[in-house]
Amino acid sequence: MRIEIAGLTKTFRGGVAALDGLDLTVPTGMFGLLGANGAGKTTLMRILAGIARPTAGRVTVGGHDLATTAGRHAVQRGLGYLPQDLGVYPDLTARQFLDYVALLKGLDDPTVRRRRVGELLEVVALTGQANRRLRGFSGGMRQRVGIAQALLADPRLLIVDEPTAGLDPEERIRFRTLLSQFAGDRTVLLSTHIVDDIAQTCREVAVLSRGRLAFRGTVESLTREAAGRVWSLTTAGPPPPDGTVVSALPAAEGGMRYRIVAATAPGPTAQPLEPALEDGYLTVAAPERSALNA
Amino acid sequence: MLGPPIAVAVGVLAAVANPVPSDTNTARVLIGALEMALPLTAGVACASLVGRDPAVEIQLAVPTPYRETLLRRTVVTLGWAALVAALTAAVLIATGWWARWPDNHGVIAGQLTWAAPTLALGGLGLAAAAVSRSPGAAGALVTTVWAIQQFFAGLAQQHLPGRMLYLFATTRGADPADWTANRLTLIAVAVALVALALVVLGRSERLISEDDE
Amino acid sequence: MIATLLYEFRMQIRKRSVWIVPALTLVLFVLIGGSLLRDLFDPAERPPEARLAVVGLAVQIHALLSIGFGCLLADRLVRDDRLRVAPILDATPASPGARLVGKYLGAGAATAVPIAVAFFGFATAYAGSSGSWSALPWALAVFGAVMVPGLLFVAAFALTVPLIMPAPLFRVLFVGYWLWGNVVTPDLMPTLSRTVLNPLGGYPMAALFDFAGIDGDDQWAGPFPGATLNFLRPEPTPLIAWLSIALLLVLAAAALTGGHLARLAERTRS
Ligand SMILES: Nc1ncnc2c1ncn2[C@@H]1O[C@H](COP(=O)(O)OP(=O)(O)O)[C@@H](O)[C@H]1O
Ligand SMILES: [Mg+2]
């Protein structure tokens, strides 16, 4: 399922432009959406899920126009959505909750539904806890219920909004592996501000910054954006004023060793480094700072 | 869910505690529980259906329209109230208390005694909740409308529109001749309010922003 | 506590529903007849004394708008848990008791503002149209002695009772109680109305404002011939009236304390 977005603008009451003339094409497969908090990721996801309406612009998903009721309906039939703020009904058990969502997704045949719910409980390793109420679930367990819920109707398009926030490292790894395995010929749109999640799962990525597209390309090309801009600098003094400090480690020889993204060498003793994905992200996501540096 | 049975229990209690122990008066209190207390619980329950759904984003992203889900919840809420009311009415009819209230309007049509105000307050609750997305505000409105008609039973029925919209026309009605028209008007109003609610609920975006608190 | 109070006040008064519900109530009231309101502005019908007019106005405003007041406050306390701010607030050094009091006074005051606006608005309009400016000091006195204690009483229960039952159920029971405990006359059925426990303020109205209904033929306090619970209806004297006010406030404090203890118990259990 291909997503085509043209001139998409979303302005909230009070004049906040969460999305500002966004043009983007998302192909089949796993696609990463990076952006700082407040960049507009959730707003975009909600529009794609048919929950929110654009102020202006055109969005089609698999050829269906989201501006029409019929189009939204068609998209929602093949959609799995894991909201950023996942709420569940605390009084239902995991199995009942999934059964309910399956009903809402139109899985009307009870035997099919029961089988599907059972399969997904297995996939997210919750079979043992399936009959416990969601009230007592930990964040990670809840998130697993969330992903199971999204996968119920075998969606052609899966939208997951910051799914790994709040998961422990093992859960995170399991989660993103699950997503990659699922992707195949489907479209999986993974929004996150955790660069590592994208690096491990996606070939292609877009970076949003203040409602605009700051970058669109492969993960490698995003990394290359930082080529020649990553430096290592060891100093006893404060970090140099321009450039973005990526990491700061106490150096064995005393002082601090900084990893810095900057257009030019931040000091005479700075050593160039091989860029990583995070450096590329910082280069494109903070253009005004880079511009200052240049 | 507890509401309707409690309403009936309160009514029976009030009838038992009645210090003016004439049969007519006791029958009136019993039927009054069906016409007053039960519709109030149903109305407030309907007022609490919108605005506090933890899984609202999931609900809005599935192909089943959310308003259909809410309509189904409304039907369940009102259906439960109706079941309790019908059973109570059956008991009252079987024990003869129904007949002891002179304005009972018969066994069949008389069921509009509870059906009309239940639908009207239910519709009002749902519409208010859909517009305000706040169970607090919607519940306040339902209880206030109910209470005003209790406080000012006479004034509310002085003029024709008020008489048609009066919720308690069976047990506190001013004019039994207007009863059927009153009941049908209330049901029509209920239908209009539910339609309004459905139109408002069609705009999904309003539902994801927290109610106006 | 002061900080909590101010913020609760601010949050509550910004809610549109706090204004819309009383406004709609008044519109309904006027539509349905609101005979008293009309009488107030009709030279032929208005009561002879400004004092009577103002107390009569207070009764109607108080009886009507308190319902919305209680319903709107009903979920203030449970809301913290729903919005998941409770853990943040619990981790602050402010003591939970002080926070509860702050929330009670702040949210209660904010929700009462529209009621006060309506009451003083009508009172001023009456004073202007009738020329009896003594209505204004009377209005202040009635507001302080009758309405404020009643509202404090209602607010305490509205905040804490939903801790032990769902808020919608509380709203239903509350309006039922309000009708039964304030409006029903004692000869109709056993009731708390017209007793010293009456949040509508029958005793202060009768004893402090010498009020017996707009037309002088209502009995707002004192023993009712043949009614049950008459031991709660002593002869109205100013002392009893002040006791009645104190009793309402004590009950309000008891409700708050009960709610506070219930919350603490819940906290330690979970
Ligand atoms: N319902 C809303 N009303 C007003 N502003 C909003 C609303 N939702 C989001 N915003 C604003 O839109 C911008 C983008 O938010 P969001 O899409 O949630 O970003 P992200 O998911 O990337 O963190 C933010 O500035 C946010 O404050
Ligand atoms: Mg977001």
Side-chain angles (χ1 to χ4, degrees):
Chain A
M1 250 197 196
R2 211 178 145 79
I3 304 175
E4 313 252 10
I5 300 166
L8 180 62
T9 298
K10 174 75 186 178
T11 313
F12 286 108
R13 246 189 311 187
V16 184
L19 294 172
D20 190 1
L22 182 70
D23 300 301
L24 179 65
T25 307
V26 178
T28 307
M30 190 89 187
F31 190 88
L33 188 64
L34 273 171
N37 281 322
K41 303 183 297 294
T42 298
T43 306
L44 175 60
M45 301 264 171
R46 281 181 172 163
I47 290 175
L48 292 176
I51 297 174
R53 307 273 182 278
T55 311
R58 206 179 126 76
V59 185
T60 61
V61 177
H64 301 292
D65 187 349
L66 278 183
T68 66
T69 312
R72 279 196 298 274
H73 209 78
V75 171
Q76 289 190 333
R77 258 196 294 271
L79 170 74
Y81 175 52
L82 176 58
Q84 173 175 5
D85 238 335
L86 174 71
V88 295
Y89 297 117
D91 292 319
L92 296 185
T93 66
R95 190 187 298 281
Q96 287 166 341
F97 181 71
L98 292 179
D99 189 67
Y100 181 37
V101 178
L103 253 178
L104 294 171
K105 291 197 175 184
L107 272 71
D108 289 325
D109 182 341
T111 38
V112 173
R113 202 167 64 233
R114 210 168 311 134
R115 184 155 37 87
R116 188 72 190 138
V117 168
E119 280 168 18
L120 279 166
L121 284 167
E122 198 68 48
V123 167
V124 297
L126 279 177
T127 311
Q129 281 93 350
N131 297 322
R132 275 181 51 199
R133 286 186 185 215
L134 294 171
R135 184 188 302 288
F137 274 35
S138 72
M141 286 159 74
R142 218 175 257 235
Q143 204 66 0
R144 276 164 21 206
V145 173
I147 191 68
Q149 154 294 122
L151 296 179
L152 271 173
D154 195 17
R156 307 299 306 157
L157 168 63
L158 181 63
I159 295 180
V160 285
D161 195 357
E162 290 187 21
T164 56
L167 297 188
D168 69 36
E170 264 174 75
E171 283 173 329
R172 253 179 66 197
I173 291 166
R174 248 216 324 250
F175 194 90
R176 62 195 190 200
T177 313
L178 185 69
L179 286 184
S180 320
Q181 286 169 346
F182 174 80
D185 60 342
R186 305 170 179 95
T187 303
V188 176
L189 190 55
L190 166 67
S191 123
T192 182
H193 51 227
I194 302 173
V195 177
D196 201 34
D197 286 343
I198 302 273
Q200 304 300 328
T201 51
C202 301
R203 256 185 40 75
E204 292 197 78
V205 60
V207 178
L208 277 188
S209 173
R210 302 180 183 200
R212 295 174 197 226
L213 189 64
F215 177 85
R216 160 83 170 82
T218 61
V219 168
E220 294 80 44
S221 61
L222 179 55
T223 309
R224 274 199 304 276
E225 288 282 319
R229 292 164 160 262
V230 187
W231 311 89
S232 170
L233 178 70
T234 306
T235 163
D242 35 42
T244 312
V245 175
V246 182
S247 68
L249 276 175
E253 61 270 30
M256 293 292 265
R257 185 158 70 234
Y258 294 102
R259 182 186 179 95
I260 294 171
V261 176
T264 52
T269 57
Q271 301 290 316
L273 288 176
E274 271 303 298
L277 183 60
E278 200 169 15
D279 308 318
Y281 167 68
L282 288 172
T283 307
V284 300
E288 49 294 300
R289 239 177 310 167
S290 315
L292 268 180
N293 299 340
Chain B
M1 284 294 114
L2 287 175
I6 290 182
V8 170
V10 167
V12 173
L13 212 69
V16 170
N18 196 339
V20 196
S22 82
D23 274 2
T24 318
N25 212 17
T26 308
R28 174 183 178 170
V29 173
L30 287 171
I31 294 179
L34 284 184
E35 190 176 36
M36 299 170 182
L38 190 114
L40 175 67
T41 62
V44 173
C46 287
S48 312
L49 291 178
V50 188
R52 228 146 260 186
D53 192 331
V56 67
E57 275 207 63
I58 292 176
Q59 289 277 7
L60 291 172
V62 296
T64 308
Y66 187 44
R67 57 179 168 185
E68 220 169 82
T69 306
L70 287 175
L71 193 61
R72 205 165 298 144
R73 287 184 192 166
T74 311
V75 169
V76 170
T77 308
L78 293 178
W80 170 238
L83 182 70
V84 173
L87 285 177
T88 313
V91 170
L92 292 184
I93 291 167
T95 51
W97 283 107
W98 189 270
R100 278 173 215 159
W101 175 242
D103 297 329
N104 65 48
H105 298 279
V107 165
I108 304 294
Q111 300 310 312
L112 288 176
T113 293
W114 53 264
T118 302
L119 286 173
L121 285 180
L124 177 67
L126 185 67
V131 171
S132 69
R133 285 158 295 148
S134 154
L141 197 65
V142 169
T143 50
T144 301
V145 166
W146 184 90
I148 282 194
Q149 297 213 349
Q150 291 282 6
F151 289 168
F152 306 107
L155 279 175
Q157 298 179 79
Q158 244 171 21
H159 304 289
L160 201 58
R163 200 146 67 233
M164 287 299 117
L165 293 172
Y166 193 63
L167 293 166
F168 320 119
T170 314
T171 45
R172 301 188 70 181
D175 186 354
D178 283 342
W179 188 81
T180 310
N182 161 284
R183 298 287 105 171
L184 296 179
T185 311
L186 286 180
I187 291 174
V189 167
V191 171
L193 286 169
V194 170
L196 169 74
L198 290 182
V199 170
V200 175
L201 289 172
R203 301 175 41 206
S204 59
E205 215 162 324
R206 303 180 66 241
L207 295 165
I208 35 174
S209 51
E210 182 61 24
D211 42 23
D212 83 300
E213 12 188 36
Chain C
M1 189 197 98
I2 299 296
T4 316
L5 194 158
L6 289 178
Y7 272 99
E8 289 292 336
F9 183 87
R10 246 198 259 173
M11 285 196 287
Q12 182 80 344
I13 202 147
R14 275 193 205 148
K15 289 180 67 174
R16 263 169 300 167
S17 51
V18 163
W19 292 91
I20 290 175
V21 168
L24 281 178
T25 307
L26 287 175
V27 168
L28 279 174
F29 178 49
V30 170
L31 278 183
I32 264 181
S35 63
L36 172 88
L37 285 183
R38 216 171 323 117
D39 290 354
L40 279 185
F41 300 102
D42 179 348
E45 292 281 339
R46 72 167 55 122
E49 281 181 70
R51 173 179 53 84
L52 288 185
V54 167
V55 182
L57 180 68
V59 174
Q60 308 246 342
I61 299 267
H62 191 22
L64 273 182
L65 296 187
S66 289
I67 297 168
F69 177 80
C71 288
L72 285 173
L73 281 175
D75 53 3
R76 286 283 91 185
L77 209 51
V78 277
R79 193 178 83 116
D80 276 1
D81 303 324
R82 209 188 56 220
L83 291 183
R84 300 180 217 152
V85 291
I88 302 178
L89 299 179
D90 285 345
T92 62
S95 95
R99 260 185 11 238
L100 178 66
V101 174
K103 183 181 272 292
Y104 166 63
L105 294 177
T111 316
V113 164
I115 302 180
V117 167
F119 176 61
F120 288 111
F122 281 122
T124 311
Y126 164 78
S129 84
S130 69
S132 25
W133 289 100
S134 66
L136 291 185
W138 280 117
L140 261 179
V142 176
F143 188 74
V146 176
M147 294 175 80
V148 168
L151 292 174
L152 283 173
F153 176 84
V154 170
F157 284 91
L159 278 186
T160 53
V161 177
L163 290 172
I164 55 170
M165 65 169 70
L169 184 57
F170 167 78
R171 293 189 181 108
V172 169
L173 295 181
F174 170 65
V175 65
Y177 152 78
W178 191 253
L179 192 76
W180 166 80
N182 283 313
V183 182
V184 167
T185 47
D187 47 359
L188 215 59
M189 59 176 83
T191 167
L192 284 176
S193 82
R194 316 295 201 256
T195 67
V196 285
L197 294 176
N198 178 358
L200 206 50
Y203 271 82
M205 282 193 293
L208 301 181
F209 297 96
D210 192 19
F211 180 74
I214 278 288
D215 305 316
D217 48 13
D218 287 350
Q219 183 191 338
W220 277 98
F224 243 73
T228 46
L229 299 178
N230 261 343
F231 68 95
L232 289 173
R233 297 190 189 89
E235 282 300 331
T237 63
L239 177 68
I240 299 285
W242 288 114
L243 272 179
S244 165
I245 293 175
L247 207 54
L248 288 178
L249 297 182
V250 166
L251 284 175
L256 283 180
T257 313
H260 180 54
L261 294 179
R263 279 178 109 201
L264 285 187
E266 172 117 1
R267 213 53 53 79
T268 46
R269 228 181 310 125
S270 60

